[in-house]
Amino acid sequence: MNVGECYLIKTPPNGKHCFVVSLKIYEDQFLLLPISTQRENSESCCVIEPDEIDFPFVNHTSIIAYSHAKEFTHYALQDATQRGYCTSLGSLKPELLDRILQSALHSKRLKNRWKELIRKQIGS
């Protein structure tokens, strides 16, 4: 698992969501942020247009749903993949990952502890 990689992860009850490995927290622990369909009440500090991402199922304006951030270990993601709950999708362009992290600092829904780690990572 590397920062910038994306995974399609089963998320009951609504099927699967795309998650971006956004930050290495510890040696084997990572922060994953979900890409979700933009809705009327969505937080819009990081809007992603379909042409910015190379996944065919992203065919509409999307957002990073910071309130649904998840912490995963490499082992947990590997186990989920072996069980068929997770599929690797490839990596984001570095510029998009940078924008996601910068926008996270403006999110009202992302926990402050994640913001602090992101600030340390990007040097802001």
Side-chain angles (χ1 to χ4, degrees):
M1 181 179 344
N2 294 303
V3 171
E5 290 179 346
C6 295
Y7 294 88
L8 196 59
I9 301 174
K10 187 174 182 179
T11 53
N14 299 326
K16 295 183 176 185
H17 277 92
C18 178
F19 283 83
V20 180
V21 179
S22 302
L23 182 69
K24 187 174 186 175
I25 301 168
Y26 301 112
E27 186 62 33
D28 193 37
Q29 203 163 9
F30 297 84
L31 176 68
L32 278 66
L33 297 171
I35 297 174
S36 187
T37 301
Q38 185 178 33
R39 302 209 189 308
E40 189 175 312
N41 62 347
S42 295
E43 183 176 46
S44 60
C45 54
C46 190
V47 176
I48 301 171
E49 297 301 333
D51 62 345
E52 294 183 274
I53 197 162
D54 295 329
F55 307 138
F57 59 86
V58 179
N59 53 14
H60 49 272
T61 302
S62 300
I63 53 100
I64 298 297
Y66 293 105
S67 62
H68 297 291
K70 305 265 184 237
E71 212 175 299
F72 265 86
T73 64
H74 178 76
Y75 173 78
L77 202 62
Q78 204 171 26
D79 183 58
T81 300
Q82 289 172 348
R83 293 172 182 259
Y85 297 124
C86 178
T87 307
S88 177
L89 297 171
S91 296
L92 292 182
K93 296 174 185 165
E95 305 82 29
L96 180 54
L97 179 60
D98 288 343
R99 185 160 58 94
I100 289 168
L101 292 175
Q102 289 289 339
S103 297
L105 300 177
H106 303 288
S107 172
K108 293 182 179 176
R109 298 180 184 173
L110 184 65
K111 293 179 181 179
N112 285 332
R113 69 183 179 124
W114 299 130
K115 289 181 185 181
E116 284 303 314
L117 289 171
I118 290 169
R119 275 189 194 93
K120 288 178 184 175
Q121 175 79 22
I122 62 177
S124 288

